[in-house]
Amino acid sequence: MKATGIVRRIDDLGRVVIPKEIRRTMRIREGDPLEIFTDKDGELIFKKYSPIGELSDFAAQICDSLRKSTDGIAAVCDRDAVIAIAGGAKKELLDKPISAQLSDIMDNRSPYRQESGGSNLPVSATDEKYCISVAAPVISEGDVMGCVLFITPRNSPPGTEVEYKLAQTVSAFLGKQMES
């Protein structure tokens, strides 16, 4: 654990303010859920809660099925990182932070499909080798929880209509799973 040197007091309602710099660095937005952990040494640990992260084993199985159906690279991400991937690029992308462009796609709440000859939007903020071919945001109870992706190496042909429809179907299914 890394010390920040920042000290905050708890107010009379039991609240503590997380400094803006830490919220920005950790990509914590207003309304984001946080899990609270304690340990025997008296430490309190706040961790961003990812509802779709609870489905990571399930998401991995879905990615594997998508890969077998399309022979492409399929992935599922939450609002911060790639949580499941099948078909390649696992070492480069799994658990890596998502790119600002992918975050924008999710914020738009609409499926995305790379145009032929269009720009190559990176999947991860730390890797430019793999790009978003198809993306369909996972929406549950009105909130964007993550995204279903088909990924291609940079400068590859765009995703097919089948991949586009599959991503939309799987994202709707995951959204419904999270509601129950």
Side-chain angles (χ1 to χ4, degrees):
M1 197 165 15
K2 190 167 95 174
T4 63
I6 300 170
V7 176
R8 296 284 192 214
R9 294 203 182 275
I10 297 175
D11 71 9
D12 57 339
L13 295 176
R15 297 176 296 197
V16 64
V17 174
I18 300 171
K20 187 175 186 175
E21 305 81 41
I22 292 175
R23 291 192 319 263
R24 186 180 304 126
T25 302
M26 302 303 294
R27 298 176 75 161
I28 297 171
R29 299 182 237 3
E30 181 180 334
D32 281 354
L34 299 174
E35 279 185 286
I36 303 170
F37 298 91
T38 61
D39 72 3
K40 60 183 181 230
D41 298 330
E43 291 179 326
L44 282 175
I45 300 164
F46 288 88
K47 182 180 176 190
K48 278 187 75 171
Y49 175 71
S50 170
I52 202 166
E54 300 287 320
L55 300 174
S56 62
D57 290 339
F58 187 57
Q61 293 172 356
I62 287 175
C63 288
D64 195 46
S65 295
L66 290 172
R67 183 198 59 78
K68 288 177 182 173
S69 299
T70 63
D71 217 20
I73 303 171
V76 174
C77 68
D78 63 12
R79 295 286 302 186
D80 297 306
V82 177
I83 63 165
I85 191 165
K90 197 172 225 175
K91 182 177 69 172
E92 293 90 345
L93 298 175
L94 188 63
D95 296 325
K96 299 294 191 281
I98 64 167
S99 67
Q101 294 91 332
L102 180 50
S103 186
D104 290 344
I105 289 170
M106 286 189 269
D107 289 341
N108 288 337
R109 299 171 163 260
S110 297
Y112 165 85
R113 183 172 172 198
Q114 179 187 6
E115 299 292 325
S116 186
S119 62
N120 290 291
L121 304 179
V123 175
S124 172
T126 61
D127 180 87
E128 296 278 328
K129 194 164 98 176
Y130 292 96
C131 298
I132 304 163
S133 177
V134 171
V138 176
I139 300 172
S140 178
E141 296 178 350
D143 294 324
V144 177
M145 300 295 178
C147 202
V148 175
L149 306 165
F150 280 98
I151 299 166
T152 58
R154 182 174 276 297
N155 298 322
S156 294
T160 65
E161 184 68 21
V162 170
E163 290 173 337
Y164 185 68
K165 294 293 186 190
L166 275 172
Q168 289 178 50
T169 302
V170 170
S171 71
F173 177 76
L174 285 173
K176 291 289 184 196
Q177 285 297 115
M178 294 176 67
E179 288 175 4
S180 51

